[in-house]
Structures are given as structure tokens and as C-alpha cells.
Amino acid sequence: MNRTGLTGGDPALLRRLNVEAVLRVMRSAEPMTLTQIGRAASLSRQTVDVVIAELDEAGWIEEVAPERSIGRPARRYRFRAEAGHVLGIDVGVAGIRMTLTDLDGAVVASRSAEMAPGISGPDRLTRIHACAAGFLAEHPHARLRALCLGVPAIVDTYGRIRLSTPLPEWSGTDLASIAGTWFDCPAYVENDANLAALAEHWRGAARYADDFIQLIAGKRSGAGMMLGGRLHRGRGGAAGEIGALALLGWEGDAMNDVRASPDPAQIFADAAAGDPSATARVDRFARVLAQGIAAMVLTVNPDLVVIGGGLSQAGEALAGPVRGHLDKLCLDPPQVAASTVGVEAVALGAVRLALEHTNAELFGAHTEGGRKVAGTGAPVTGRSAGQGLFESVRGASD
Amino acid sequence: MNRTGLTGGDPALLRRLNVEAVLRVMRSAEPMTLTQIGRAASLSRQTVDVVIAELDEAGWIEEVAPERSIGRPARRYRFRAEAGHVLGIDVGVAGIRMTLTDLDGAVVASRSAEMAPGISGPDRLTRIHACAAGFLAEHPHARLRALCLGVPAIVDTYGRIRLSTPLPEWSGTDLASIAGTWFDCPAYVENDANLAALAEHWRGAARYADDFIQLIAGKRSGAGMMLGGRLHRGRGGAAGEIGALALLGWEGDAMNDVRASPDPAQIFADAAAGDPSATARVDRFARVLAQGIAAMVLTVNPDLVVIGGGLSQAGEALAGPVRGHLDKLCLDPPQVAASTVGVEAVALGAVRLALEHTNAELFGAHTEGGRKVAGTGAPVTGRSAGQGLFESVRGASD
DNA sequence: ACCGTTACGTAATGACTTGCCGTAAGATGG
DNA sequence: CCATCTTACGGCAAGTCATTACGTAACGGT
């Protein structure tokens, strides 16, 4: 758990590191033999043997049928991704989307639910809780280990809502603590644009970029940001709020002309078909959007800008013009791509965030500044890290 | 060396960690006894004993006179900061500043040298080399372990000059490789604004901020940035170049009115004395400056903005108006402070960067994405990390 | 049925940490 | 000056974790 370098370590630390290494190797691939694991983790087969025995005992892995090959068939083990599940919830104004996955991030089920926009803050909360509970009840075998909510709001380090324009009644709510009581697992809360960035980095257009800006282009425009492979939130979670600089025009006519229109998709379609009026409207929109993006790009000089949000369904019809303007405004223009994860972005990002925290807790990996840990939440200290790893998993899905 | 978690570790890793822990503890304080070190590093006295013996043998530490106290006097050891030195060079258009420090960052000597602005690129290079060599020759006891150059340019990850407006002839130069041949040590190259940020974080106004923007306000305006306690450079080292966005006015009249004036200090002085004309000029300057800063602040939401560069000598006379405008432009206004390290900022930051790399190499600490390692530069691999630590230090200053 | 290949299992070795206990070195007080 | 007290040093034994080495087991191929 120390890893910080300030204090030294004993053999127990070594063991934890090796357990972690073995798990990492196993999670990233097909079932493996002891020898293969040892090679991949640069450990002796002997050590791997002991570690594997412990992990098997605890239920994190299980033996599978050996492969047919020359020589004595090697035992093979696989990571039991079904030993835990996480739930990601995309909280929107008009409804929610939920995605349940196993520890590998494989989607078990998804569900969305409408929600009356006029519903009160507390009612919305209980409604979400009820939806989630109902959804989980259909998957009784799932052992929920974490939960993450994506919200259109500025969220602080502890998962509290600092400010939300779309959901004003939630401002000031300690959402992470509340959601932490829903199920027997920690709950995390994060800004939706940041989660979209996470999703895009995980399985989308930003898979190979460690520094990128995730733009949310929709009725509301915002941005998430990943720098050095990690989400950058800023002091109060307000990073990416470039729209607040009136000078750049994100709240001006050129923007609203398109995004507040009854059917923005039609405008993009018309522009693609060659309608000069629609083309001009799109271009004006793209130019102003690009100004805001340029301010961010010149500030952090990312590899890539991913355009997401409702309007990203226009794909290249939007990304193209934006790229054109951006190239003129920047010293070192980044790549520009349209989102590839689409409407699932936020829910998927929520899953990803929940998985990262789960992994960190279970395997004692990188200690990171993270979101509020509510629910079970006993912080992992000293040797209890090892214990945490070997808590009863058995019975979860046996 | 691995620390990444992908591969496991053996007892040798443990030892490296413990050596590192002991060194960390010793470097941060007065001479200590074995027992004190053990407590601080949470290691047994036994272990500390062995580690200390090795470090003493290698010359990194030495015994000092025991303190008079009850009981058998404990041996005390201190870190030999004089076992290595680093040189930081601030390369400006009109001259250079050099600072030589020991491994603790204690300044041994400083020196500045004029340089004709019209000098050619290669001549400038040889001139700098000669200055540095002469400077070092006056300190023959110093065992130089690293060298860092701060330049007014966009520098890539390998220490090559991508683009420099003030020193156009250097654009495209692989400066790190060249400087790496000067002395028997690695050389690093970094943008001057970034180094100023490093200095400010180390010993200046940003000591307690891990997310801040370092503004350079002078004839040229630029910015360095520290996010999450680490320099943020961006893909091509072009982070912070917000001045390129013409819309924000950093190259406009309001800016040039002050910074291109023959005596900017006088304007600030007049404004402070109540001269309405000067006050207006300062305010216009501050407003435009604040617009650019606001774009960066809204993008990354830092804790603090430090105003450095030549104009920062105005102190609150500049920081005050900037703060006033910034508060109006930002959702979550950061603190605003004037630089406290002053003209030494870049040279000191260069020292700091050199020290960080030196520490990382010698003690096998954090593996970081760093600048080009020229010179000796054998990458530390496998067990050679330990060997690196125990290379001959003896004789350096005995 | 034999042989070669590959993996498994046990034993031996080395390294590091911890805990214990006797000894050494200086200060304090008579 | 000497006895005593306090604290640190030094050696010894035990436990944990890792690696290497070697004999054994299991399967496919001939």
C-alpha cells in the first residue's frame, strides 16, 4: 500500500506486488498456464504456483480444461470476471441509462428509463434508486462491487454536486454518500463529460491518446479532459468549462442557431446534401465551437479532440468543419475525431471509473486521488490489503 | 525499475526500495541516528544498519560526531550533498545565467554573462559551452551529475528545439544531444516558462499548489503549467501558448502599450502613485492579460496563477488588477500571486529539473517520462539500478 | 509399448526482515 | 574515582519469500 517510496517494505510487500502482477497478466488475456504467466510477469513458475493457489482458493480465478499439446498438459487458469460486477448510471435530465458489467467490463445488461423532466430533486433520487434496484434484482447472481453515477454537473473530489444547471435542485447534494447507502458497495460520482472521456479512452476514438479533450456538443456544451492518461478535473472539478468565457461565443447566436433548433440532425443532413444555407449555418457553428476548442487546445496541447454529445451523431459533417477551423487557429493542431461510443458513452465511462476503483481496492494497485468512497469503504491499510484481496468471493456466483 | 506493476519483484527490488526509503529520509533532514532513520522509514534498525553500511561504503553518506546524550551515543550519519552537483542555465536572448548547486539544491555559485543578441546560432552555442566550462573550472571539487538548459522555445520530449521565435537559428536543433557532449553528464533541455513553474513550485509562490499556471509576463508572454504536481507540456511541448489565439488580444495594442514601452516599471510606479493615465494603461493591460489567463483557467481550473517574467517585478501593482479582472471572468477564480523567485526563476528551475532526473537515476525512483538523456546515459535496467547506486563516489570531493 | 516433450512437485539455497539477548559506551550521582 | 543507569550496538535464531535444481508424472507420437 505504500508504494510512495517514503517508507520501506518487507517481504509481504513483495508478495502483494507479485499477486498484483499475476492478476494483471491474467486479466489481460485468455486462460494461461503457469509457465506462461511466469514468463509474462517475470516470476519463477514456483512463485506463480503459490500465488495461483491463493487466488484460486479465494475464488478470483479458476482452472479450465487444459489445451491439447505435446508433453504433459499444463493446468490453465482464467480470471473469474464474474466474481464481481459494477453498475454505471448515466443520469440525464429526461431519463437514465444503466449498464451492468462484470469485472472485465463485459456488458451483462443495459437498461434505460424515462424520467419526467419536472420531477423534484429528492423524487428523482428515489426514482433512480428504485430503477437501479429493480435492474439489479433481475441479475441476482451479480455481486455488485461498485456503482458510479455520471451527472451533468460540476462534481467535487468527494462526489458532491457543487453546481448543476440542468439539475439545479441537486446543487450542494452529497450524492456519493447518498448512493453509497443504496447497495452494499461504494458509490462514485463524476461529471458526465469526464466519464465520456474515460469511455472514449477505454473503447472509443481515444484508445491510443493519453492527452485528449472530450467535447460534449449538445444543448449544453462542455468538455472533459484526459491528461497523461488520467482524468484532469481541476481544483473544483470545473476544468473544461470554457463556455463561461463569453468572448469565445459559446453562448452566442451562432451556436444556438444550430443546437437549439428543433432538428439539428436535419441541418447537418441538408449541409451534407449541399444546401448552401445549411452549410453556412453549420460552418458558423463549427467556427465558434472551434474557437472555444482552440482556447483549450492552445492551453494543454493535446493529441486529439473527440467530439461527442448529441450533435456528434452528425459525425464527419460536424468534425470536418471543426477540424478545418481548428487547423487555422492552433499552432500545433491536434487530430479531430467524432465519438465512436455514442449514446452509451457516459454509462460506459461510469462503468470504467467504477472498475478502476474496484481494481485499485481489490488488488491494492496505484493509490490515486479518487472520488468519495461511501458504503463499505474501510480504507485499505497495512497488511489488510492482502486480507481485502482474500475476502470471501466464493458463493458470489457458485 | 519496474514499479509499474506489470512485472513482479524479487528480494533485490525490496532492497532497492529500502535503500531508496533510507535515502529519502536522510535527505530531508539533519544528521540522524540509525534508530531515528528506522522509525522514519518504518524499517528495523537491523535493516537500516545494513543499508547504511552500503551507502557509507559507496560514499553517499558519512558519519558525523555523535550528539551528547544519555546512554551510549548513537552513530549519526548525514547525506553527503556534496557528492554531486548540477548546473542550471537560463538561456536568454541577451545573456545567460548559470547556477551551480549540490544535490540538496544548495546554491554553490551563480554567474551571469552578457551575450550579443546578434550572435549566430552556432556561436551562441559555443559561447555558452565556454562560459559553463569556465564557471565549472572554478569549482574543481564539484562532480557534475547533470545539466539543464532553459530556453525560450518550444521543446519536444527529447530536448530538441521545435520552434523558437527569440532564437530562430536554433529551431530544429537537437540541443540536448549537443549539450550532452559538453561534460561527462546527461543534459536536459526545457522551455523556460516550464522551468519557472518548477522553481516557483520548489521554492516560490506555488510551494503549496499542485495545479497552477505560471505566467511569464514580459516582452514575450507565455505560460508554463503544473498539473497534478507534474509539469504539463502537451504533445509537442506547446502547452500554454494561449497567446496564439488572436481573439484574446495578447498581441494587441493594449498589451504592447505597456510591455513594449521603454520603461514599464515607471508605468506601474505611476499607477501606484495615482496617475490616472498610467492607471488606465495598466488596467487595460491587465484586462487583456486576464482574458488569456481566463481561457487557461477555465480549461484546467488550477489552484493558483503565478505571475512571473520581467513585468512581475511590479508585484501587486500588476497582480492586483489581473486578479480583479480574472475574478469576473472565471467560474471558480484561482488565487493570483506574483513570483517570489524573481530573476533566478529559470536557472533555479533548471537546477530543479536536473536534480529530479539525477535523483531518479541514482536512486531508481519514480520512472517518469523525461527529457532526452544524453551523455553517459546508459538506461537503468534490471539489477543495474543497484549497481548504478554504488558506482564510485569516493574521490569526488575527498 | 516405448520415447520424447512438457509440466508438476519437492528439496535445497540464498536474501531479507524481525525479535531477542548480551555487551559496549557514555552520562549521572555519590 | 566508582557504581549505576540509560541507550545503542552486535550477534544469533527463526520465519517468510523468492530462486535454482532435480526427480517424477502425464500426454502425444512412433
Side-chain angles (χ1 to χ4, degrees), chain A residues 56 70 88 146 167 183 245 258 265 291 308 358 373 398:
Chain A
D56 186 35
I70 291 280
L167 302 174
F183 310 105
L245 198 61
V258 169
Q291 281 176 8
T358 302
V373 181
D398 295 336

Side-chain angles (χ1 to χ4, degrees), chain B residues 33-52:
Chain B
T33 69
L34 297 196
T35 317
Q36 289 170 329
I37 294 169
R39 234 193 307 275
S42 24
L43 291 172
S44 70
R45 200 191 54 75
Q46 197 65 280
T47 304
V48 175
D49 198 343
V50 180
V51 171
I52 285 291

Side-chain angles (χ1 to χ4, degrees), chain A residues 32-43:
Chain A
M32 295 175 84
T33 70
L34 298 197
T35 316
Q36 289 171 329
I37 295 169
R39 234 193 308 273
S42 24
L43 291 172

Side-chain angles (χ1 to χ4, degrees), chain A residues 23-198:
Chain A
L23 273 171
R24 253 176 228 277
V25 166
M26 293 195 67
R27 296 196 57 168
S28 62
E30 299 299 297
M32 295 175 84
T33 70
L34 298 197
T35 316
Q36 289 171 329
I37 295 169
R39 234 193 308 273
S42 24
L43 291 172
S44 70
R45 201 190 53 77
Q46 198 63 280
T47 304
V48 174
D49 198 341
V50 178
V51 170
I52 286 291
E54 284 178 359
L55 289 172
D56 186 35
E57 176 86 15
W60 288 107
I61 59 175
E62 72 181 1
E63 194 168 352
V64 298
E67 251 180 345
R68 23 188 310 109
S69 70
I70 291 280
R72 173 172 177 166
R75 288 180 308 183
R76 293 195 311 158
Y77 289 87
R78 70 173 197 93
F79 179 71
R80 291 183 64 231
E82 70 275 18
H85 293 77
V86 299
L87 179 63
I89 306 180
D90 173 5
V91 179
V93 176
I96 65 172
R97 304 187 79 96
M98 298 178 291
T99 295
L100 182 70
T101 78
D102 65 19
L103 290 177
D104 273 349
V107 175
V108 173
S110 285
R111 167 79 50 87
S112 58
E114 304 286 308
M115 210 156 284
I119 192 171
S120 82
D123 284 353
R124 185 184 292 270
L125 216 46
T126 48
R127 184 73 203 292
I128 293 172
H129 182 191
C131 284
F135 183 45
L136 288 173
E138 297 172 20
H139 303 279
H141 61 89
R143 161 99 168 73
L144 198 67
R145 296 195 175 268
L147 163 72
C148 176
L149 292 149
V151 294
I154 296 178
V155 181
D156 75 10
T157 319
Y158 302 101
R160 293 180 299 221
I161 309 289
R162 270 168 58 103
L163 179 71
S164 175
T165 313
L167 302 174
E169 291 192 45
W170 275 12
S171 294
T173 307
D174 187 351
L175 189 51
S177 293
I178 294 171
T181 66
W182 288 355
F183 310 105
D184 184 26
C185 71
Y188 307 94
V189 178
E190 183 56 86
N191 170 269
D192 53 3
N194 281 336
L195 292 183
L198 219 44

Side-chain angles (χ1 to χ4, degrees), chain A:
Chain A
M1 65 133 319
N2 77 72
R3 296 301 285 278
T4 57
L6 222 166
T7 65
D10 49 13
L13 172 68
L14 212 48
R15 179 50 150 266
R16 277 220 320 285
L17 291 176
N18 288 344
V19 170
E20 192 183 325
V22 168
L23 273 171
R24 253 176 228 277
V25 166
M26 293 195 67
R27 296 196 57 168
S28 62
E30 299 299 297
M32 295 175 84
T33 70
L34 298 197
T35 316
Q36 289 171 329
I37 295 169
R39 234 193 308 273
S42 24
L43 291 172
S44 70
R45 201 190 53 77
Q46 198 63 280
T47 304
V48 174
D49 198 341
V50 178
V51 170
I52 286 291
E54 284 178 359
L55 289 172
D56 186 35
E57 176 86 15
W60 288 107
I61 59 175
E62 72 181 1
E63 194 168 352
V64 298
E67 251 180 345
R68 23 188 310 109
S69 70
I70 291 280
R72 173 172 177 166
R75 288 180 308 183
R76 293 195 311 158
Y77 289 87
R78 70 173 197 93
F79 179 71
R80 291 183 64 231
E82 70 275 18
H85 293 77
V86 299
L87 179 63
I89 306 180
D90 173 5
V91 179
V93 176
I96 65 172
R97 304 187 79 96
M98 298 178 291
T99 295
L100 182 70
T101 78
D102 65 19
L103 290 177
D104 273 349
V107 175
V108 173
S110 285
R111 167 79 50 87
S112 58
E114 304 286 308
M115 210 156 284
I119 192 171
S120 82
D123 284 353
R124 185 184 292 270
L125 216 46
T126 48
R127 184 73 203 292
I128 293 172
H129 182 191
C131 284
F135 183 45
L136 288 173
E138 297 172 20
H139 303 279
H141 61 89
R143 161 99 168 73
L144 198 67
R145 296 195 175 268
L147 163 72
C148 176
L149 292 149
V151 294
I154 296 178
V155 181
D156 75 10
T157 319
Y158 302 101
R160 293 180 299 221
I161 309 289
R162 270 168 58 103
L163 179 71
S164 175
T165 313
L167 302 174
E169 291 192 45
W170 275 12
S171 294
T173 307
D174 187 351
L175 189 51
S177 293
I178 294 171
T181 66
W182 288 355
F183 310 105
D184 184 26
C185 71
Y188 307 94
V189 178
E190 183 56 86
N191 170 269
D192 53 3
N194 281 336
L195 292 183
L198 219 44
E200 217 70 59
H201 184 64
W202 187 26
R203 296 180 166 174
R207 239 170 318 199
Y208 305 109
D210 270 356
D211 281 28
F212 73 98
I213 290 172
Q214 172 75 29
L215 192 75
I216 303 298
K219 290 203 178 58
R220 195 177 67 92
S221 288
M225 199 174 305
M226 184 168 269
L227 300 178
R230 299 149 64 135
L231 277 187
H232 177 77
R233 303 174 170 99
R235 174 172 61 145
E241 298 289 334
I242 194 74
L245 198 61
L247 191 64
L248 296 171
W250 271 25
E251 301 303 329
D253 295 339
M255 294 283 274
N256 292 326
D257 175 38
V258 169
R259 69 182 180 191
S261 92
D263 187 7
Q266 188 60 46
I267 301 177
F268 288 106
D270 291 349
D275 174 355
S277 153
T279 305
R281 290 171 77 182
V282 166
D283 192 66
R284 280 201 307 153
F285 177 72
R287 192 172 61 79
V288 176
L289 199 59
Q291 281 176 8
I293 299 174
M296 295 192 286
V297 164
L298 287 167
T299 302
V300 302
N301 187 27
D303 303 317
L304 171 71
V305 173
V306 178
I307 300 182
L311 297 180
S312 70
Q313 291 175 335
E316 267 298 301
L318 176 57
V322 167
R323 185 182 303 118
H325 287 290
L326 207 54
D327 284 353
K328 283 178 276 183
L329 293 168
C330 300
L331 291 177
D332 184 22
Q335 290 189 273
V336 177
S339 163
T340 59
V341 291
V343 293
E344 297 286 350
V346 177
L348 213 56
V351 160
R352 177 61 178 176
L353 188 78
L355 281 175
E356 284 181 3
H357 279 96
T358 302
N359 290 342
E361 282 197 15
L362 295 180
F363 309 148
H366 313 296
T367 61
E368 290 235 17
R371 289 319 204 215
K372 164 83 175 179
V373 181
T376 56
V380 177
T381 58
R383 309 208 171 189
S384 71
Q387 296 168 7
L389 213 162
F390 301 127
E391 79 184 49
S392 70
V393 182
R394 284 284 175 220
S397 68
D398 295 336

